[in-house]
Amino acid sequence: MQWQPLGKHRYSVDGALILVETHGSLDPSETQLLMLAMSKLQDTQGQVLALFDVSGGASLPADSRRLIATWDRRAGRPAPTAIVGAGLALRTVATMVVQAIQLVSRKPSPLSFFQTQAEARAWLAEQGPPQAPPS
C-alpha cells in the first residue's frame, strides 16, 4: 500500500478504493486535494469507494462540507462511503452532509459506520460492481 500525503492526513488507492486516514480537521485545501484524487479515480475506475479511518481524529468545517457536496453533485454516482472510528458528533455531521447531497443530486449516497476496516471493506465490496470507466 503506497501512502500519499494529504496535508496532516494521508491516503492510499487500491483499484476504485481510496483509504483516507485523518488526523484532525480536514481543511478546505486538503479537501480539495482529496476531491481531485477521487475525481481521478472516478475517471479511471468508473467509480469511487471511499473508506475514511477517523480514529486519529477528524472534523469537517463548513467550507470543506460544501466542497464535498459540490464534488458529489458533479460525479456520476456519489461515492459509497464507509467511516471507521467516528464518534457521535462526526456521525451526525457526516449524515447531514450525505442527506444534503441526496437532496440536491436526487441520487442515493450510501454511507455507513463501522468499528473496523475489515467490516468497512466488506460493506464497500457489496456496494455494486465497478462501473466501466468512461471511454
Side-chain angles (χ1 to χ4, degrees), residues 10 17 24 31 40 61 75 77 80 86 92 96 106 114 119 135:
R10 67 182 187 164
L17 174 71
T31 302
K40 259 189 197 177
R77 174 181 173 208
T92 302
M96 289 172 36
R106 298 178 194 245
F114 301 93
E119 293 169 329
S135 311

Side-chain angles (χ1 to χ4, degrees), residues 61-83:
D63 288 346
S64 296
R65 292 193 300 266
R66 278 191 286 280
L67 283 170
I68 291 169
T70 301
W71 178 81
D72 259 340
R73 281 197 303 264
R74 287 190 313 252
R77 174 181 173 208
T81 302
I83 300 178

Side-chain angles (χ1 to χ4, degrees), residues 116-127:
T116 69
Q117 281 194 26
E119 293 169 329
R121 286 174 183 267
W123 179 80
L124 286 168
E126 296 172 357
Q127 296 308 302

Side-chain angles (χ1 to χ4, degrees), residues 13-99:
V13 173
D14 181 15
L17 174 71
I18 186 164
L19 169 60
V20 180
E21 286 187 356
T22 61
H23 301 281
S25 181
L26 192 67
D27 69 36
S29 63
E30 294 163 338
T31 302
Q32 182 128 21
L33 292 172
L34 178 58
M35 295 299 97
L36 289 171
M38 292 175 77
S39 292
K40 259 189 197 177
L41 269 182
Q42 180 74 38
D43 292 345
T44 59
Q45 299 292 319
Q47 86 173 101
V48 178
L49 302 171
L51 195 168
F52 287 84
D53 187 331
V54 299
S55 303
S59 64
L60 204 55
D63 288 346
S64 296
R65 292 193 300 266
R66 278 191 286 280
L67 283 170
I68 291 169
T70 301
W71 178 81
D72 259 340
R73 281 197 303 264
R74 287 190 313 252
R77 174 181 173 208
T81 302
I83 300 178
V84 174
L88 180 60
L90 186 57
R91 285 177 183 238
T92 302
V93 169
T95 300
M96 289 172 36
V97 169
V98 166
Q99 288 174 344

